[in-house]
Amino acid sequence: MKAGADHSIRNAIGDAQALQTAGAPQRGIARRALAPSLLIVGVCGWSLIETPAEFDPSAGEAGVAALAIAKFAWAVIGVAAARGVKRAQWLFSFLCGLSLVAIVPALPVEFNESAWIFCQSLVECALKAAAMLALVFSRAPRPAGIEAIAWNDEDSGIGKP
């Protein structure tokens, strides 16, 4: 009687492991694509949050129009990149890198001028760098030798680590 109970437990454990390993590649792909999408949304959201700080009434109507067009372009490219359009992801990564090249050298000056502007720029740089890296790593192919391995004590004779 006890041996029958052990057998049913082994079947239940085997079924659970089969379900777990069957869903692993899909879950890994979803997780791999989630981080860049969240960071892209973060960059676009932060871009909208800091719009009032970038607004300069002395620039006139042309300056306001340029700011609106720039924010709209970030939003459109960001939505396309978050949806997985490869060219939009490449363009978004490029624009993030270009923006970092423009902003990072000015951080020490901003630190001396205003702590608030420095903090805004620092958050922007951190989000853009993280989004750029996440996009780069999400597109990088995985090495062929790395696979998820399901341990099976009964068939292979190999014990779990």
Side-chain angles (χ1 to χ4, degrees):
M1 178 116 178
K2 192 168 187 168
D6 288 342
H7 184 65
S8 63
I9 290 173
R10 260 192 216 150
N11 287 341
I13 291 172
D15 291 344
Q17 286 176 346
L19 287 173
Q20 184 179 18
T21 56
Q26 295 169 350
R27 187 173 39 223
I29 291 169
R31 284 185 186 159
R32 196 171 176 190
L34 182 62
S37 297
L38 288 176
L39 287 167
I40 290 168
V41 169
V43 168
C44 292
W46 186 256
S47 174
L48 294 176
I49 288 170
E50 69 177 2
T51 300
E54 295 174 347
F55 179 71
D56 184 14
S58 66
E61 293 178 6
V64 173
L67 181 64
I69 290 170
K71 297 303 176 178
F72 181 73
W74 264 113
V76 169
I77 294 168
V79 167
R83 293 195 63 177
V85 178
K86 295 297 180 190
R87 288 185 184 193
Q89 288 178 344
W90 181 89
L91 181 60
F92 193 84
S93 296
F94 175 76
L95 290 175
C96 283
L98 194 62
S99 178
L100 287 171
V101 168
I103 296 171
V104 169
L107 285 176
V109 175
E110 289 180 356
F111 182 72
N112 291 331
E113 295 293 324
S114 170
W116 177 247
I117 294 173
F118 172 75
C119 289
Q120 285 181 340
S121 295
L122 191 62
V123 168
E124 181 180 4
C125 288
L127 282 171
K128 287 182 178 178
M132 188 175 68
L133 290 173
L135 283 168
V136 167
F137 287 127
S138 71
R139 289 188 300 238
R142 289 187 178 174
I146 298 177
E147 310 178 355
I149 298 174
W151 292 94
N152 190 351
D153 293 338
E154 295 173 2
D155 295 339
S156 64
I158 300 173
K160 292 182 182 179

